[in-house]
Each structure stands twice: as structure tokens, then as C-alpha cells.
Amino acid sequence: MADVSSAAYEEAMALHEQLNYHSHQYYVLDDPVIPDAEYDRLMRRLQELEAQHPSLKTVDSPTQRVGGAPLSGFKTVVHDVPMLSLDNAFSDEELLDFNRRITDRLKSKEPLTYVCEPKLDGVAVSLLYLDGLLVRGATRGDGATGEDITENVRTIHSIPLKLQTSLPPSVLEVRGEIYLPLAGFEKLNDEARKVGEKLFVNPRNAAAGSLRQLDSKITATRPLEMAAYSLGQMKGVDQPQTHFETLMLLKRWGFLVNPHVEVADNIESCLSYYAKMADIRDQLPCDIDGIVYKVNDLALQQRLGFVARAPRWAIARKFPAQEEMTQLLDVEFQVGRTGVVTPVARLAPVFVGGVTVSNATLHNQDEVTRLGIKVGDTVIVRRAGDVIPKVVSVVLEKRPANARDIVFPDHCPVCHSPVERVEGEAVTRCSGGLICSAQRKEAIKHFASRKALDIEGLGDKLVEQLVDQGLVSSVDDLYHLQLEQLAGLERMGPKSAQNLLSALSASRETTLPRFLYSLGIREVGEATARSLAHHFGSLESLCSSTLEELREVSDVGPVVAHFVHEFFQQPNNLEVISRLRQAGVRWSDIEVQDQQSLPLSGETWVLTGAMESMGRAEAKEKLQHLGAKVAGSVSVKTSCVVIGADAGSKLTKAKELGIRLLDEAAFIELLRAHGEL
Ligand code: I6G
């Protein structure tokens, strides 16, 4: 280090420590302590020092995560300890059989203790650390040999470049899964869509594709993560006695360990763990395809050993597949509330993601072109959670000779008006407006929906009958329906007809946000409707607002402002509103407070930990309504911190700084006191 003064060296080491700490807080613990700008400032300072003194640029420097020069190919890595695969169980019975088999083999009288862990849907990797420094990353490959992806793994922030310990093992091989969280996957595909690039089929393919990049600068742009799940080898330090202790050791050394890992005292608890995770699978930030169970006691693991290429002491209980193959039988075109004509795939029924799927959206013409799909094709269908099933790809090898092209209609399949494709939009629209009965039906369904006027008993089928029989053509007609008219409809007796009339009557009393949402203005969802209502206070004031005034509303950009403005310029829309009011639909105006006089104006609030009664987005919106700014990290400028369950370092920092704290109950009380609940 001839070029380095001791002051520069000390400063660089201090910056390493700070940056590693903050990177771990952000990427591993999901609990940032400082704002991004402050992190960037520290990073720039280190880059500056390294530019002045190149020998400071060591392999474990936090600056080395941006990727290096492109490679011409990947080297082969021979795994010292083979990377095995896992046996699968597809039912509770198969899991119970597994437990019985190994309990018998061990001649154990006591129930076996297991570690339960979600099985992430990503790419298995091995990371080698020598004396605490990351020296190699490799893919699993065929288990015996894989590919050297060191340059790429270095770009992943949740992988420590240096272990967080002053006494590292001389050799450590950590195994785990590199995956792409769903939010990162969506973002990547959104960007690809914008520039007309090919989309990734699912997060696993996107993770695999990102790791296969010869140019690690590209990998560095992908928000990959790694969760460590086991050891390949470890030398020079004492081995823990259990698998759970091993995971905790890896966590202390700086690895991300899945936060849902649990110890189960017997196989029955393993079954409950599976049921619990299956329940929350759709709310997790990343795809999981099952649960892995491992015998916790490492001495017992050793006694059990391996069969063929899988350990006897572990098993993966798989969830129902989220992707399956089926055939595209036909394509039909549906017309939505705003006239969008959507191609819908009619599929040979297939069991996927826990339900039988026979329809899937094909979105629009661009998507049909992108998929290169034809009627008769064999396709891969994906259904994750409650998300609408989607055709993700075509199996071209299976295309039959008589496969036929999907032709978009040039006239609306319902009202026969011409369809048009607006420049800059991916969708085709029916130009029929309210003469199109499909659009009218959808507008009425939206008006009656739970978050709009919440008309109980007015379901989709009933709306279709009402429109088809000419009893309702606009939402205000609903309020003039007579008992005899309703009682004469299919599956409607006098009792349900009377109930519907009562529900219609009750729906007249509503709120301004609900009413605005019910109008079905393009791009105005529930949250925007609430913002508009709170900003303008009355329908009159909103109706007469200018584009500039609309742009002043929080979360309203130029596109939304344009749609809102245009909606209230249309005489038809104003007439419908007027008829609704004549029919008795009413609400109270909201007292508009100027931003300066709101109860929390001028204050900066921070939310930390999980709340039971609402999500973070909702809590943030409510605080903003009260005039507060909501920040992501605690500083001297913070006015108050709301603490949910498992609050971490933000709480510690707030206590250090003596900042006012509110628990969930007190927060709810405050929202109630200000009419936000
Ligand atoms: O493929 C795997 C996914 C997850 C694993 C695994 C795992 O633990 C959570 N564990 C082992 C031991 C192996 N494969 C071989």
C-alpha cells in the first residue's frame, strides 16, 4: 500500500464498515437506518479515495458490486462436496411416510425435531469463502460440476463479500438459493416492455438468465437476492450441533436467512407449518414452490446419510404447481367497462395453482404477437395465488399443422361499432361508448361493487339480465326499479327482489370518495378517488377544477388529471350525475383544510414493523391526509415513529434520539380522533 497514507487507509476501512453495515440493514434485514442519499454519499467518498489510491480497491470493497469486464465464457467448477438434490413429497401422507421411515431407521423413541423452511423458486448456488473473503460463486450444474459465476454473485448485495466476524473459518462453503423477488421481476418486465424487449416468463427464469450474463454489469442491474440454507463444508471453527444453529451462525456472519425458518418439535407441527405457509404463500415477496424439512440434529443427519443423490434427512413437500401445460382451444374477445377489447384464451381445463383453469387473459394484440401464439397451440399457463391465470409461453415443438392465427376483430363483438387502437396505447377499444351494452353492463357492475356504492345482491348475472331486458341502461335507472320488474327475473323471488330494493335504498346514502370511485373515471381507483375528495371537498368544486388544479392533488399526474377533467366536461356524464342526485343519491361534503392547517402538517413520520389492522401503504396514505410527510428512515427531523410488531433498528434509533413513539393502538386512536377511520 505504498500509495496510501495511513489516514486514507483508516478512512477507507471506516467507510467499508459503515457501508457494509448499512447494506446489511437494507438488503438483508430490510430495515434501512439512513436515507439512500446518505448511503450514496458514503459510497462516493470511498470511490474517490480508491481513485486516489488504487491499492485501496480490494476485492471485498463495497465499491466492487457494480460488475467488472465482460467474460468470454464461464469456467467450470468441480464441487468438492457434491450439491445434492432433494426428494419430494406431494401429500401429507408422503411426508408422514418420510418421518416414519427415518424414525424407524434411527430406532428413535422420541419424535424427531425438524427445521422447516420455505423452498424458494430460484437457482441453487455455492459460495466459497477463504479466511472470510468471498473467492468463488458457482451454480449447482449437475451437482458434481457447475459454472463459475463469481463476478455475478459479487453484484448481489445480500451476499457478504467478507464475513462479519473477526474469527472466520479458514474454509466455508455456503449453499443457498439466488432468486428474484416478485417486485423486482415486475419492474424488470415493465422496463423490458417499455423498450420492446422479450419478457421473462417467471421470476426463476429471470434469476437464471441474470446469473448467466457474461457481463456482470448487467447482473448488477438486476435486484437479485440470496437466502443461505446450508453448509457445504466448514474448516477451522467448531461445527454447531444443529441445523438451526448453523443457520443462526450464517445469519450472524451476514447472510440472509429466510425469516420464516422455524423449528418443529414433531411431524404434526411440520404439517401445520405447511398449512400456515400455503395460506400466506400469495402474500410473500417471492415465489416459493414448497417447504423443505430437515432433521435438526446434525449427528442424526450424519447417521441417516444419503440415498443416491439425495440426503435421507431432508425432504421437500411441494405446493401445487403454479404452471402447467394445456391446449389453447379458441380465443374470444370480451369488452370491458372502458371499451377495451380483451382477447381471452379458452383452454382445455387444467389443474394449476390449486384450481381448475379453463380461461386466461391474453391482454392485448401486443401480447398475442409477443407470445407468437396460435389457436391449437400447447401453452404454459401460470396461476399464482389469486392472480388471474396467464398464458406465459407457447411450446412451439408441439404446434399442430392446423394451428390457426388469432385475428383481432375490426368491429366490437357486442355492439358492432368499429374498434380503434389509440396511438401510444397497447389496447384496442370499442368506439360504441354507452350504446355498447357490454360497456354499460361493466359500468353498472362497477357502480354496484363493494368499494363503490356497495349494492348488496346486485351481482354480475343480475346486471346482465337487467341490461339485456332493457330495464336498466344507465346507473341511475337502478333507483327506479319496481318490485314486480325484479320479481319477474330469473332466479329472483319476491323476497330477494324486496331485499335488493332495500339494498338500493340504503346505497343512496354514500360518501364523496365512494361516489367518485363509482363513476368509473379512467385511471381513478379507490385511492385516487379519496385523494380527489379530500382535496376538493365537494363534487362542484371538483367538476369546475382546471387541469392545473387537478395536478396539485397528491398522486395525480398528467394522465389522470386529463381523464378526470375530460370526464366532467362530458354533458352525458353530468346528466347521469344529476339524475343520480334526483334519485336521492347523497353524501356529505368534506371540510377542506388548507395543507398548512392540517393536524400533522409540517411533521415527518416514520412507520416501522408490521401492523395488524392495516398495511403500510394505507397507514402512509392516512398520515398524508392528515398533512404529515412519511419518511423511510429515522433522523433528528423525525416527529414521530409508529411501531408495529418486530420493529427493528428504526425503533432503536428513535429511542436513542428521544423521538416520540406511538404503538399501533395509539396510532389507531389518533386516526380515529381525526376522522381517518
Ligand atoms: O434445493 C434446495 C432448496 C432448499 C435444497 C435445500 C433447501 O433448503 C431450504 N437443502 C438442501 C440440503 C438441498 N437442496 C440439497
Side-chain angles (χ1 to χ4, degrees):
M1 302 240 165
D3 63 327
V4 191
S5 67
S6 91
Y9 177 78
E10 308 251 310
E11 188 185 354
M13 289 308 108
L15 285 164
H16 275 210
E17 200 170 307
Q18 288 177 63
L19 285 162
N20 283 340
Y21 169 76
H22 290 302
S23 179
H24 184 252
Q25 288 293 133
Y26 187 93
Y27 290 103
V28 177
L29 305 179
D30 194 16
D31 194 8
V33 179
I34 55 169
D36 293 357
E38 177 64 7
Y39 182 87
D40 294 344
R41 200 187 61 72
L42 296 171
M43 183 64 90
R44 275 198 307 277
R45 176 64 192 143
L46 181 58
Q47 282 163 340
E48 227 170 74
L49 280 174
E50 290 180 355
Q52 286 163 9
H53 310 286
S55 63
L56 287 175
K57 206 185 268 183
T58 52
V59 284
D60 62 327
S61 168
T63 60
Q64 300 305 295
R65 294 209 186 260
V66 288
L71 305 174
S72 53
F74 295 117
K75 284 188 289 189
T76 299
V77 168
V78 178
H79 297 298
D80 285 348
V81 182
M83 288 185 77
L84 305 169
S85 49
L86 287 175
D87 271 345
N88 292 322
F90 293 96
S91 65
D92 285 356
E93 285 67 41
E94 287 182 15
L95 185 64
L96 292 169
D97 282 349
F98 157 81
N99 177 59
R100 209 169 297 123
R101 248 184 347 258
I102 59 174
T103 312
D104 288 352
R105 197 177 180 93
L106 291 168
K107 301 195 171 57
S108 174
K109 301 251 173 341
E110 301 295 320
L112 292 173
T113 300
Y114 292 96
V115 173
C116 319
E117 172 167 1
K119 188 169 185 300
L120 297 167
D121 208 359
V123 179
V125 292
S126 142
L127 304 175
L128 182 64
Y129 290 80
L130 297 181
D131 295 324
L133 286 188
L134 174 67
V135 295
R136 193 187 70 194
T139 59
R140 177 178 179 278
D142 62 5
T145 58
E147 283 181 325
D148 187 327
I149 51 163
T150 311
E151 293 309 311
N152 292 345
V153 300
R154 277 190 194 289
T155 67
I156 301 174
H157 290 265
S158 50
I159 295 180
L161 298 176
K162 183 178 174 197
L163 301 182
Q164 289 178 6
T165 167
S166 53
L167 292 170
S170 54
V171 177
L172 174 75
E173 193 196 336
V174 176
R175 286 165 181 188
E177 201 86 355
I178 294 184
Y179 59 96
L180 192 63
L182 292 164
F185 168 69
E186 299 296 344
K187 195 163 148 247
L188 210 60
N189 268 355
D190 281 349
E191 283 161 10
R193 205 173 284 118
K194 271 190 213 140
V195 293
E197 269 177 16
K198 202 164 174 286
L199 304 192
F200 288 108
V201 168
N202 56 39
R204 178 170 28 82
N205 284 21
S210 303
L211 287 178
R212 225 177 287 119
Q213 294 292 333
L214 289 168
D215 184 353
S216 51
K217 287 208 162 55
I218 298 182
T219 314
T221 65
R222 310 276 165 89
L224 296 166
E225 291 185 1
M226 187 194 96
Y229 59 60
S230 71
L231 287 186
Q233 47 178 330
M234 183 162 74
K235 292 181 189 154
V237 295
D238 289 343
Q239 297 275 347
Q241 308 229 315
T242 65
H243 178 59
F244 188 72
E245 285 166 23
T246 310
L247 292 177
M248 293 308 107
L249 183 64
L250 291 176
K251 199 167 158 179
R252 283 200 298 280
W253 284 346
F255 291 94
L256 191 159
V257 170
N258 195 299
H260 295 281
V261 169
E262 270 182 32
V263 176
D265 289 336
N266 50 47
I267 198 70
E268 289 73 29
S269 303
C270 291
L271 295 177
S272 334
Y273 180 87
Y274 176 87
K276 182 174 81 179
M277 293 309 294
D279 243 19
I280 62 163
R281 180 187 188 190
D282 305 337
Q283 294 146 40
L284 295 176
C286 47
D287 268 355
I288 62 172
D289 60 0
I291 301 296
V292 179
Y293 299 102
K294 292 176 183 166
V295 170
N296 192 23
D297 185 326
L298 295 183
L300 293 184
Q301 280 193 8
Q302 198 149 32
R303 274 176 57 198
L304 285 164
F306 304 87
V307 238
R309 292 156 54 94
R312 264 200 202 93
W313 39 264
I315 197 156
R317 164 81 162 93
K318 301 302 285 272
F319 285 134
Q322 289 183 314
E323 284 182 13
E324 285 293 351
M325 212 154 63
T326 187
Q327 206 193 5
L328 176 64
L329 303 177
D330 201 358
V331 173
E332 282 171 22
F333 293 88
Q334 274 179 2
V335 185
R337 176 164 59 82
T338 57
V340 174
V341 180
T342 305
V344 179
R346 302 288 176 222
L347 303 163
V350 61
F351 192 70
V352 55
V355 296
T356 300
V357 167
S358 39
N359 303 311
T361 173
L362 288 171
H363 298 289
N364 53 48
Q365 173 90 65
D366 288 355
E367 178 74 354
V368 168
T369 311
R370 184 185 75 74
L371 288 167
I373 188 174
K374 294 184 186 221
V375 175
D377 268 339
T378 296
V379 296
I380 310 282
V381 178
R382 177 178 171 83
R383 182 189 177 274
D386 291 336
V387 181
I388 302 165
K390 218 178 129 140
V391 173
V392 290
S393 60
V394 174
V395 187
L396 283 177
E397 305 83 77
K398 290 183 181 269
R399 174 166 285 169
N402 63 352
R404 86 186 136 77
D405 284 340
I406 297 168
V407 183
F408 269 66
D410 45 18
H411 284 81
C412 170
V414 179
C415 73
H416 309 294
S417 307
V419 300
E420 50 198 27
R421 187 161 172 184
V422 181
E423 222 185 283
E425 278 192 22
V427 295
T428 355
R429 276 178 205 280
C430 158
S431 60
L434 288 180
I435 42 162
C436 178
S437 66
Q439 291 187 48
R440 269 187 279 135
K441 284 175 185 170
E442 294 309 312
I444 296 165
K445 288 176 196 171
H446 176 79
F447 181 82
S449 64
R450 203 170 48 80
K451 292 173 180 167
L453 286 227
D454 193 17
I455 307 173
E456 223 189 303
L458 187 55
D460 291 0
K461 288 272 169 302
L462 190 53
V463 170
E464 276 158 31
Q465 281 194 69
L466 290 169
V467 174
D468 288 341
Q469 304 209 4
L471 295 175
V472 171
S473 69
S474 165
V475 286
D476 52 290
D477 295 335
L478 290 169
Y479 293 102
H480 303 291
L481 286 166
Q482 303 296 317
L483 188 69
E484 314 77 69
Q485 291 174 314
L486 288 173
L489 295 172
E490 234 175 75
R491 281 185 287 165
M492 257 290 188
K495 177 116 182 33
S496 25
Q498 185 52 57
N499 287 346
L500 180 58
L501 286 183
S502 310
L504 275 161
S505 184
S507 75
R508 286 185 166 99
E509 188 81 56
T510 186
T511 64
L512 182 56
R514 274 181 182 273
F515 183 73
L516 291 179
Y517 174 67
S518 79
L519 294 174
I521 306 169
R522 269 176 74 187
E523 301 296 332
V524 175
E526 234 193 316
T528 310
R530 258 198 310 272
S531 296
L532 289 168
H534 282 270
H535 186 95
F536 290 100
S538 71
L539 187 67
E540 292 66 28
S541 160
L542 172 60
C543 280
S544 59
S545 63
T546 62
L547 273 172
E548 292 68 41
E549 286 163 343
L550 283 163
R551 290 290 307 278
E552 284 166 19
V553 182
S554 61
D555 297 338
V556 171
V559 176
V560 180
H562 164 76
F563 286 135
V564 175
H565 193 253
E566 191 183 44
F567 184 91
F568 291 112
Q569 295 299 305
Q570 293 277 334
N572 274 351
N573 294 333
L574 299 179
E575 277 160 29
V576 172
I577 292 173
S578 155
R579 291 201 300 267
L580 281 168
R581 286 185 132 166
Q582 278 163 25
V585 175
R586 59 193 175 273
W587 56 87
S588 302
D589 286 347
I590 295 174
E591 198 183 326
V592 183
Q593 282 159 319
D594 85 63
Q595 278 311 103
Q596 304 311 312
S597 65
L598 289 172
L600 305 183
S601 61
E603 296 192 13
T604 302
W605 285 53
V606 171
L607 298 159
T608 181
M611 276 194 278
E612 259 176 34
S613 45
M614 70 183 78
R616 212 171 260 204
E618 195 184 341
K620 181 174 171 184
E621 193 189 305
K622 291 188 186 306
L623 283 170
Q624 285 170 336
H625 278 162
L626 296 176
K629 237 176 76 186
V630 181
S633 56
V634 176
S635 73
V636 281
K637 294 196 194 120
T638 309
S639 320
C640 184
V641 177
V642 181
I643 34 180
D646 299 326
S649 60
K650 283 186 209 165
L651 172 58
T652 320
K653 177 123 190 235
K655 280 184 180 160
E656 270 168 31
L657 295 174
I659 288 163
R660 184 177 149 221
L661 303 173
L662 275 193
D663 65 12
E664 184 170 349
F667 177 61
I668 297 292
E669 207 173 296
L670 173 121
L671 293 181
R672 254 200 208 111
H674 290 296
E676 279 296 319
L677 280 179

